[in-house]
């Protein structure tokens, strides 16, 4: 056990997961997907991917209520291949790429949403990172996945790229340097999330995306430089 707390009147414990938890992880992922109105938002990890992380290539923590897994979050130490997110944020050498961690999937059972578990798990799992070994955390998020975007911004991660990944799927590439340092800027623009070209032009000119806000039914991304 690495942490404990309460969800209303229910006590939860957080522990590091192992390969023995794969069946529980599979069930929870399916319950989360089944509750999504847009199932394309989430791409569950298959058993091979879960096993890869849990066999020493990352870290996964789980939240349990009365011994039932109700949430989990994962970090991945990625293989170096042509899809490595380090390339998308401007890293070039193998030495730099080996210091990158990915924030992978994060799931909360539908019955336990609204308690801030995503953020709680983020804080707990990032406390486990050896910052002498890893200097950068990266993640990808699909535009329109509001919950995941809010999660990344809440951790002071910023948008470093917006491009096609994973066989042609549009994704924001987020990053955060370790240890975190606040950004200072002199320029600021808010751009509609659905205006891909405008965002890509800002990113090419040195802007980064640091937050979002609602604009009626739409969302604006704050870009600064």
């Amino acid at each position: 056990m690495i942490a404990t707390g309460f969800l209303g009147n229910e006590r939860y414990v957080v522990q590091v997961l192992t390969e023995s938890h794969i069946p529980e992880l599979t069930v929870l992922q399916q319950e989360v997907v089944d509750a999504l109105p847009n199932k394309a938002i989430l791409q569950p990890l298959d058993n091979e991917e879960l096993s890869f992380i849990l066999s020493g290539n990352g870290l996964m923590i789980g939240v349990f209520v009365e011994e039932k897994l109700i949430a989990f979050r994962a970090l991945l130490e990625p293989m170096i291949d042509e899809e490595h997110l380090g390339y998308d944020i401007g890293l070039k050498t193998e030495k730099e790429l080996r210091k990158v961690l990915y924030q992978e999937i994060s799931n909360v059972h539908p019955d336990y949403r609204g308690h801030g578990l995503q953020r709680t798990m983020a804080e707990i799992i990032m406390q486990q990172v050896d910052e002498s070994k890893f200097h950068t955390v990266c993640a990808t998020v699909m535009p329109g996945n509001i919950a995941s975007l809010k999660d990344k911004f809440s951790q002071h991660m910023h948008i470093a790229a917006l491009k096609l990944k994973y066989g042609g799927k549009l994704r924001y590439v987020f990053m955060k340097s370790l240890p975190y340092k606040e950004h200072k800027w002199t320029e600021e623009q808010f751009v509609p999330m659905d205006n891909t070209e405008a965002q890509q032009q800002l990113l090419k000119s040195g802007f980064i995306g640091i937050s979002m806000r609602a604009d009626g039914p739409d969302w604006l991304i704050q870009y600064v430089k």
Side-chain angles (χ1 to χ4, degrees):
M1 182 176 69
I2 56 176
T4 185
F6 286 89
L7 302 171
N9 294 322
E10 295 184 285
R11 182 176 182 268
Y12 70 82
V13 297
V14 182
Q15 66 185 67
V16 175
L17 302 181
T18 67
E19 288 186 273
S20 67
H21 293 104
I22 288 178
E24 295 168 88
L25 287 163
T26 301
V27 170
L28 176 55
Q29 286 191 117
Q30 191 58 54
E31 290 174 327
V32 170
V33 169
D34 288 345
L36 289 174
N38 178 8
K39 300 187 179 0
I41 285 178
L42 182 66
Q43 179 62 47
L45 298 180
D46 60 30
N47 284 5
E48 183 178 346
E49 292 168 319
L50 290 168
S51 181
F52 182 78
I53 295 173
L54 293 167
S55 61
N57 299 291
L59 174 69
M60 195 174 293
I61 62 171
V63 180
F64 293 82
V65 171
E66 296 183 351
E67 299 186 356
K68 178 184 177 182
L69 181 67
I70 57 102
F72 74 92
R73 188 158 197 144
L75 293 174
L76 169 68
E77 188 173 348
M79 295 185 294
I80 298 178
D81 57 21
E82 62 184 15
E83 283 282 348
H84 197 289
L85 300 180
Y87 291 124
D88 299 316
I89 64 173
L91 304 184
K92 294 180 172 58
T93 69
E94 181 177 336
K95 182 178 180 180
E96 291 174 316
L97 296 176
R98 292 201 180 280
K99 294 180 179 179
V100 174
L101 270 178
Y102 289 1
Q103 278 204 8
E104 278 289 323
I105 194 168
S106 175
N107 279 182
V108 176
H109 191 282
D111 291 345
Y112 290 91
R113 291 177 184 157
H115 293 282
L117 273 178
Q118 294 268 24
R119 188 164 188 171
T120 298
M121 289 192 295
E123 292 172 354
I124 293 170
I125 202 168
M126 290 306 296
Q127 289 170 2
Q128 316 304 313
V129 174
D130 181 354
E131 294 186 4
S132 68
K133 181 179 179 182
F134 298 104
H135 293 178
T136 309
V137 179
C138 289
T140 58
V141 179
M142 182 182 81
N145 187 342
I146 304 304
S148 188
L149 288 167
K150 287 182 176 180
D151 172 67
K152 300 302 178 290
F153 285 131
S154 75
Q155 298 179 62
H156 303 295
M157 299 184 76
H158 68 260
I159 297 169
L162 175 56
K163 60 190 301 184
L164 298 178
K165 301 288 291 181
Y166 316 127
K169 298 177 181 179
L170 187 65
R171 293 291 185 269
Y172 287 112
V173 179
F174 279 82
M175 68 164 288
K176 177 182 178 180
S177 297
L178 302 175
Y180 169 70
K181 295 180 182 178
E182 284 196 37
H183 296 283
K184 297 182 179 180
W185 65 86
T186 57
E187 298 181 55
E188 173 188 70
Q189 292 192 43
F190 284 86
V191 183
M193 187 184 299
D194 59 3
N195 192 335
T196 300
E197 184 177 352
Q199 292 178 86
Q200 289 174 328
Q201 288 298 321
L202 287 175
L203 289 162
K204 286 179 182 178
S205 63
F207 282 79
I208 59 173
I210 65 166
S211 73
M212 60 192 289
R213 74 181 188 198
D215 182 32
D218 303 317
W219 289 90
L220 302 178
I221 305 294
Q222 180 190 14
Y223 283 92
V224 300
K225 179 178 174 181

